[in-house]
Amino acid sequence: MVDGVRRHHQVRAGRAAALAVHRQPPDRRRHVLTGVVRWRSDEHGYGLVTRVLHWTTVVLVVAQFALGWALTRADDLLEPLADARFGGEEDALVVVHVGIGITILVLAVLRLGWRLATSLPPWAEGLSSRERRVSHVVEVVLYTCLFLVPVTGLGLFLLSGEDWALGAGREFVGPLELLDDDTWLAAHVATQLVFLATLAVHVGMALHHQFVRRDGLVSRML
């Protein structure tokens, strides 16, 4: 009886896997079945390098916005971490914020270089001509913001003349006051708002196609 139950679950799992493959777009389905790893984007969809860069950026951006929000709106959430690692100085967590920002900036450079050096897959068939124009504008704005948001943040940290308490009696003072901290902060927040508004359009369009039109658009980046 136990063997019968086990075989039943194996059959169900096999059917679920087959159904998942069947729901993939035809070109992607072929690659799933053959086990071919595509490093570069081609006519069948986005390559592995593009997908890894994309989702790594997504994870870091989410972490960065969460940390940035906590630094400015929810200081109490960071008290245990500041006490454990930075001698109670929550300003020291700005260094972590800056480090993530630099990483995002490096990834943006890598993504742009890879984007220019390799071809893109054809437009998804389910996208109308209007949606394609919107997608192009969204891509340009998101790439621009992936540079501007970290750059304005680095400007606030390095080029505002502001002093930052790093804990254990240590302090960092920006080496140059190119602009005052209020100006850098305003630019940093403004670019974030543009980024978030554009990201909402990007995610909304993707989810609409994935769950309303059910054309498998999101699977191109999975």
Side-chain angles (χ1 to χ4, degrees), residues 48-64 98-116 142-147 150 154:
L48 181 61
V49 173
T50 298
R51 285 181 278 132
V52 168
L53 289 173
H54 174 83
W55 291 111
T56 303
T57 303
V58 169
V59 170
L60 288 175
V61 165
V62 171
Q64 185 73 320
V98 170
I100 297 176
I102 292 172
T103 305
I104 292 173
L105 186 58
V106 171
L107 277 173
V109 173
L110 292 175
R111 289 188 64 174
L112 183 59
W114 186 254
R115 166 74 171 77
L116 296 175
L142 287 178
Y143 266 109
T144 303
C145 288
L146 283 176
F147 284 93
L154 287 172

Side-chain angles (χ1 to χ4, degrees), residues 64-79:
Q64 185 73 320
F65 273 96
L67 179 57
W69 175 81
L71 283 169
T72 58
R73 294 289 185 270
D75 292 348
D76 291 344
L77 294 176
L78 299 176
E79 284 184 4

